[in-house]
Amino acid sequence: MEMFIPFGEVFLAAAVHASLQLELGGLLLLYHASLGKHIRRRTKKLVNNYIAGIGTLAILTLTGFCFMMDRYFGSALYPEELAVVVGMLVAIAVLAWIFYYRRGRSTELWLPRSVARYINRRAKNTDSSIEAFSLGVLTGLAEMPFTLILLLTAANSILALPFDYQLLAAGMYVAVVILPMVILRLAIRRGQTVADIQRWRVKHKNFFRIMTGVGFLALALFILAFEVLA
Amino acid sequence: MIQNFENDKHNQHKSKRENFQGKQKQYKSKQKSFRDKHNRGKNKHRLVSVADFQFQILREEIAKDAKALQIPEGAAEEITKKVILEAEKWLDMAGKATVSELEEKILAELKKYHANLAYVYQNRGKII
């Protein structure tokens, strides 16, 4: 039970992070731009580097938060501080329901149009592995307003684990976050086109919107029940 | 003397106001050119003619989209050629049209040949 709660929190935070759509959208843009210009092997390499960029950013941010909390707070957060985190999670859940997706039959997100156009342009002009890697990092950073609190929550839970299990939990977080991108990669490899996948995303947009908000709320309730009120 | 003083003060205010309005106009015209620079090619209500619209760029974009959708090269070339020809013919007959009207026409033509290609064209810039 002692380890179930921290692992549960890490998994839930990772699942909510994975449900966000910017990184997946960026991957789809990269796929579409690259398939139109390069041979398949090159596209595969670029996509792998993009996913590596996102994973690297996640693990670095996670471990950075762990280090800072351990150094400056001495340990995991106190219940009073966690109550603030719970409040922020609830607020972001509401924001995710209202603002995350723009209106209309598309998967346009809350990002300012200039940032979205910049990412679009970068995806179209990505030719080398390092550019694909930095595109992954860029989209991860652009998603930070929604993912920062998730990474903070996961870092707090990781610190509550015994030392031997901390790396495993961090690895689990990154694995869950990159899972949708790996699934997308497999789907395209098996013959799905970018248009099919985009249609699927548009069709299930409301489901994703609801589940993201519910995920944030569930994480907030989990922390409230097992950490703040316990 | 008081009258002169008041007149001078009034003139000072007037010149300050005119300076300010002049600066406002300069700022607005700078804003407009900044906006124009960034909206170049993206203003959907801009009127275009056959000479203005860059069909070559459209040809390349459709070719890239077709390759990404794994449409055979020969078929992609035929589709592109027919769509661009129809679009040019329509625009020539219309004389001038807005960018959004032309894009609707191109979309309608693409839909006749390949639904996925039309979908990709329609959803450019709407993935994120």
Side-chain angles (χ1 to χ4, degrees):
Chain A
M1 190 65 177
E2 264 181 34
M3 293 220 296
F4 165 74
I5 293 164
F7 266 113
E9 284 170 8
V10 170
F11 181 79
L12 203 45
V16 177
H17 189 154
S19 72
L20 296 170
Q21 291 291 306
L22 178 56
E23 287 156 356
L24 204 65
L27 181 60
L28 209 57
L29 279 172
L30 178 63
Y31 245 124
H32 182 69
S34 184
L35 284 172
K37 279 193 295 190
H38 303 126
I39 57 172
R40 282 196 156 258
R41 206 197 304 176
R42 185 94 180 258
T43 302
K44 210 165 68 171
K45 203 170 153 190
L46 293 178
V47 162
N48 288 342
N49 278 284
Y50 176 89
I51 296 173
I54 289 175
T56 305
L57 181 70
I59 195 105
L60 284 178
T61 321
L62 203 53
T63 49
F65 274 140
C66 287
F67 171 75
M68 282 197 308
M69 281 161 68
D70 196 41
R71 183 108 157 77
Y72 297 111
F73 292 89
S75 65
L77 298 173
Y78 293 116
E80 295 82 16
E81 288 154 349
L82 278 173
V84 174
V85 169
V86 165
M88 285 170 75
L89 283 168
V90 171
I92 292 182
V94 174
L95 286 175
W97 277 326
I98 299 172
F99 292 118
Y100 192 71
Y101 284 102
R102 287 179 188 250
R103 292 180 194 280
R105 281 196 62 77
S106 70
T107 50
E108 281 179 292
L109 302 174
W110 58 278
L111 282 176
R113 286 297 90 197
S114 53
V115 175
R117 274 199 292 269
Y118 181 74
I119 293 174
N120 216 333
R121 209 165 47 238
R122 287 306 330 144
K124 277 188 184 160
N125 294 331
T126 296
D127 283 327
S128 67
S129 304
I130 194 75
E131 281 173 353
F133 184 90
S134 56
L135 181 67
V137 171
L138 174 66
T139 46
L141 284 171
E143 190 92 270
M144 278 281 163
F146 285 89
T147 57
L148 210 61
I149 193 71
L150 296 170
L151 289 159
L152 186 68
T153 312
N156 180 61
S157 306
I158 285 169
L159 282 177
L161 286 167
F163 182 75
D164 298 334
Y165 293 95
Q166 285 179 356
L167 212 55
L168 180 68
M172 183 181 78
Y173 186 96
V174 174
V176 173
V177 163
I178 65 172
L179 191 61
M181 285 167 267
V182 170
I183 292 172
L184 173 69
R185 193 174 166 322
L186 287 173
I188 290 185
R189 202 171 162 184
R190 292 192 74 174
Q192 298 287 330
T193 63
V194 166
D196 296 330
I197 291 168
Q198 181 58 16
R199 276 200 191 94
W200 182 84
R201 285 178 75 220
V202 171
K203 191 177 168 190
H204 295 96
K205 172 179 151 178
N206 285 331
F207 173 75
F208 286 130
R209 185 210 304 260
I210 291 167
M211 287 316 292
T212 303
V214 165
F216 273 110
L217 271 184
L219 183 59
L221 286 171
F222 199 93
I223 295 170
L224 192 67
F226 288 107
E227 306 247 15
V228 179
L229 299 175
Chain B
M1 198 167 138
I2 293 171
Q3 187 73 23
N4 284 342
F5 176 72
E6 281 182 359
N7 280 343
D8 283 342
K9 217 174 168 184
H10 175 71
N11 286 340
Q12 271 180 13
H13 280 306
K14 197 178 168 186
S15 62
K16 269 188 189 172
R17 196 172 55 239
E18 279 166 5
N19 273 345
F20 178 69
Q21 282 170 353
K23 278 184 185 167
Q24 262 195 326
K25 274 184 191 166
Q26 272 181 14
Y27 176 66
K28 276 184 183 168
S29 66
K30 268 188 192 169
Q31 264 194 327
K32 203 178 164 184
S33 64
F34 175 82
R35 235 184 279 136
D36 283 345
K37 204 169 153 189
H38 281 261
N39 280 340
R40 194 173 54 218
K42 293 186 177 60
N43 189 348
K44 301 274 177 177
H45 304 293
R46 189 169 59 99
L47 283 172
V48 288
S49 63
V50 175
D52 296 332
F53 194 77
Q54 289 161 323
F55 283 102
Q56 184 54 33
I57 294 178
L58 178 66
R59 197 185 306 271
E60 285 166 12
E61 273 182 17
I62 295 178
K64 278 186 191 163
D65 289 344
K67 190 177 172 193
L69 292 169
Q70 296 159 46
I71 299 170
E73 213 173 307
E77 246 179 68
E78 270 305 305
I79 293 171
T80 315
K81 211 166 37 179
K82 286 185 178 169
V83 165
I84 301 241
L85 194 65
E86 282 301 320
E88 273 178 345
K89 225 191 285 180
W90 178 85
L91 190 56
D92 205 21
M93 269 174 50
K96 280 206 172 194
T98 60
V99 171
S100 57
E101 284 170 351
L102 179 59
E103 284 180 353
E104 273 174 33
K105 176 65 184 169
I106 293 166
L107 183 65
E109 289 299 318
L110 278 170
K111 277 183 181 167
K112 287 182 199 169
Y113 300 108
H114 204 282
N116 276 354
L117 194 53
Y119 185 81
V120 165
Y121 181 79
Q122 191 179 20
N123 287 281
R124 285 171 311 159
K126 292 183 185 176
I127 306 253
I128 55 165

